[in-house]
Each structure stands twice: as C-alpha cells, then as structure tokens.
C-alpha cells in the first residue's frame, strides 16, 4: 500500500480569506498544475486536495481569529 506524503503545514499567514488555502500552491512545479481549488483547513485542521491528493494541515498551535 502506498503511504501518503506528509502534510504541508500552513500557518495563519498562509490562509486566504475565510480560512482557506489553495492548491496547487505557488511552490508546486508548473507541470503538476490542475484547476485551482480552495481548501478549508480551519474547520477540521486539515484538508486534502481532490485533484492531486496533497494534504494541507494547520500548524499545531496556530490560532485563527475571526474578524
């Protein structure tokens, strides 16, 4: 069985409006691009991209404050 890659840790500063990150992220190589999706990492602390399977996780100890 294939083991999943470790999650990409994100901080509060990495979040876009409404507590989401987008995938593909700017650090991914151009050849791996897929349609941009916004992933909610605030509700559960992590989210998985439905296209490429990349997992994003809110870094331990990060506090998200509502405006």
């Amino acid at each position: 069985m294939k083991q999943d890659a470790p999650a990409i840790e994100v901080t509060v500063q990495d979040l876009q409006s409404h507590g989401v990150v987008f995938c593909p992220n700017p650090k991914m190589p151009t050849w791996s691009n897929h349609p941009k999706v916004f992933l909610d990492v605030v509700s559960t602390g992590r989210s998985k991209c439905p296209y490429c399977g990349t997992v994003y996780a809110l870094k331990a100890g990060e506090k998200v404050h509502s405006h």
Side-chain angles (χ1 to χ4, degrees):
M1 180 183 341
K2 181 183 170 193
Q3 189 162 14
D4 290 331
I8 295 175
E9 284 190 323
V10 294
T11 64
V12 171
Q13 290 79 18
D14 297 322
L15 300 176
Q16 305 300 311
S17 62
H18 306 291
V20 299
V21 293
F22 61 86
C23 190
N25 67 61
K27 295 179 182 176
M28 291 180 157
T30 306
W31 64 264
S32 67
N33 281 345
H34 54 67
K36 184 184 279 188
V37 292
F38 292 85
L39 306 167
D40 176 8
V41 296
V42 173
S43 296
T44 62
R46 62 191 303 119
S47 189
K48 184 175 183 177
C49 176
Y51 286 102
C52 67
T54 300
V55 175
Y56 296 87
L58 194 58
K59 188 174 181 178
E62 289 290 304
K63 302 289 183 202
V64 179
H65 302 286
S66 58
H67 292 64

